[in-house]
Amino acid sequence: MPNILVLGGTIEATRLVAALAAAGLPATLSYAGRVERPKPQPVPVRIGGFGGAQGLAAYLRDNKITHLVDATHPFAATISANAVQAAEHAGTPFLALTRPPWTAREGDQWTRVPDIPAAVAALDGPRKNIMLALGRMHLAAFGHHPQHRYLLRLVDPPQTPPPLPDHHIIIDRGPFDADADAALMQAHDITLIVAKNAGGTGAQAKLVAARRLGIPVLMIDRPPLPDRAQVHDIAAVLDWITA
Ligand code: NAP
């Protein structure tokens, strides 16, 4: 019988464990512990870091994990690099469930930047009404540009106020809807969106809304990840496990 560990924190991981549970394949879902109220899941959940690649390798061995699936967010570069290394050390079969990046379509006005510091640098200039769709981890960096008004959409209320003098917080979690996102952008008179190129459907609504309203997007490219076996759909993960 397989014993699967899914590294999660994404809609794809949640969908994968639902499919594994439905197929009667034993799995554990692992969260970093960033979100305060994770949704109930149909499989056992463990929460918190493993202690680097070595800690994860020890977990794989100690818990006799037969399959490791990295279904974390494409910007979670540390855990993804650790997963590759740990699977190799422990000799555990490994697969990544990833999302293709978004690509600009006709009507999109994207400016691509390689990382968060480049996104911050690109915001030099006169005041704008910016929707900062990045999650709470990176808000502090944007304190370099206090001249803008920032609309922040976060999963949990921040424990300390963001260092942005003019901001408005909305607490909500995906998946989002393009009509609702367009209404939100209009209500806040948004003139620029800053987004990570996450890919997938859960957070795409803001890009559809931006295209419709002609709002430019500052798109942050993904961090580099090691070469690894990867698939884009849940059925392919199930095939790999049951092969
Ligand atoms: P990260 O920088 O790659 O990871 C930092 C550390 O957090 C890792 O070294 C690991 O600690 C721990 N960790 C990360 N994901 C874990 C998991 N699924 N289970 C157990 N430990 C985990 O990751 P991050 O960017 O902070 O993201 C953290 C989590 O949020 C990820 O699970 C990711 O899927 C989710 N998420 C991230 C983003 C994003 O934009 N980065 C967006 C949505 C969701 P140890 O070294 O101690 O093992």
Side-chain angles (χ1 to χ4, degrees), residues 8-9 30-32 34 48-52 72-73 75-79 82 196:
S30 175
Y31 286 129
R34 304 274 193 274
F50 296 94
T72 59
H73 192 273
F75 279 74
T78 306
I79 187 73
N82 289 352
K196 294 175 176 171

Side-chain angles (χ1 to χ4, degrees), residues 4 12-25 27 42-43 234-235 237-238:
I4 305 148
E12 288 75 11
T14 304
R15 289 182 184 147
L16 173 61
V17 295
L20 293 171
L25 295 165
V43 301
I234 286 166
V237 180
L238 266 75

Side-chain angles (χ1 to χ4, degrees), residues 178-216:
D179 289 340
D181 272 9
L184 182 70
M185 288 170 194
Q186 283 180 310
H188 290 268
D189 198 17
I190 294 299
T191 54
L192 178 71
I193 290 154
V194 180
K196 294 175 176 171
N197 195 337
T201 53
Q204 202 176 15
K206 59 180 175 283
L207 302 178
V208 176
R211 187 181 307 135
R212 211 184 279 167
L213 300 174
I215 300 174

Side-chain angles (χ1 to χ4, degrees), residues 93-222:
F94 171 80
L95 190 63
L97 173 62
T98 62
R99 324 154 169 183
W102 294 314
T103 49
R105 296 204 205 148
E106 199 180 331
D108 282 332
Q109 300 174 50
W110 290 10
T111 302
R112 286 175 56 186
V113 287
D115 51 25
I116 300 273
V120 172
L123 296 188
D124 206 10
R127 177 181 169 88
K128 291 190 166 90
N129 287 343
I130 299 176
M131 181 171 175
L132 206 53
L134 296 181
R136 77 189 140 101
M137 311 280 289
H138 302 291
L139 298 182
F142 291 85
H144 287 290
H145 291 302
Q147 73 274 30
H148 303 301
R149 176 157 217 271
Y150 293 96
L151 173 64
L152 312 173
R153 180 160 62 192
L154 303 171
V155 177
D156 294 307
Q159 283 168 350
T160 51
L164 306 168
D166 190 358
H167 71 263
H168 181 84
I169 296 177
I170 289 174
I171 304 300
D172 200 356
R173 64 168 102 195
F176 298 106
D177 169 82
D179 289 340
D181 272 9
L184 182 70
M185 288 170 194
Q186 283 180 310
H188 290 268
D189 198 17
I190 294 299
T191 54
L192 178 71
I193 290 154
V194 180
K196 294 175 176 171
N197 195 337
T201 53
Q204 202 176 15
K206 59 180 175 283
L207 302 178
V208 176
R211 187 181 307 135
R212 211 184 279 167
L213 300 174
I215 300 174
V217 176
L218 190 61
M219 183 62 80
I220 303 168
D221 282 340
R222 295 173 172 203

